[in-house]
Each structure stands twice: as C-alpha cells, then as structure tokens.
Amino acid sequence: MVSARNFLPLYCSAPVLLFLFGYSYSKRFTLLAHFWLGAALMLAPLAAWVALRGELAWPPVVLGGRCCSGWPAST
C-alpha cells in the first residue's frame, strides 16, 4: 500500500519560518514589533490546518486573525 505524502507543509514552511525569524529583527528596526509578532502567531492555525488537511482554506485564516493577531498588540 502506497501512502500519499503531503508536501505542501514542507514547501510552505520556508516562508513562514523566515517571517517568524524576522520578528527578532523587527524589534530592532520598527516600533510595530508587536504587530509583527501577532501576524507571525496568526500563521500557526493556518500551518496546522495545512499540515492536517493538506489544503488551504478560510476558516483558519479567520480564526487565526481573530484569536492570535490582536493578542500581542494588546499587551
């Protein structure tokens, strides 16, 4: 039995990791570092959705935007 592998998370991981690593540099160059962190955290539900389902969809984007993006900016 041959299993189908989901390579979409692997291909999408490089831009997401670059964006996450960019947060530490954003603290040095901008006053909006909390918003950068919120956007980086917003990628987590989308990445989990892609890893489990193997497709991009709107529910994790909406849920991630509501739950994760505003939290760091409010602290």
Side-chain angles (χ1 to χ4, degrees):
M1 179 174 173
V2 177
S3 64
R5 295 185 187 253
N6 184 8
F7 289 107
L8 187 60
L10 179 65
Y11 299 143
C12 294
S13 65
V16 171
L17 287 174
L18 286 174
F19 194 79
L20 288 171
F21 291 147
Y23 166 68
S24 60
Y25 291 108
S26 73
K27 292 190 292 187
R28 296 183 182 131
F29 300 117
T30 182
L31 296 174
L32 300 175
H34 284 90
F35 291 107
W36 190 288
L37 179 61
L41 290 175
M42 188 175 68
L43 295 173
L46 182 60
W49 183 279
V50 169
L52 294 175
R53 304 277 310 252
E55 64 184 8
L56 294 172
W58 283 107
V61 175
V62 173
L63 291 174
R66 284 189 160 172
C67 299
C68 299
S69 64
W71 170 61
S74 66
T75 58

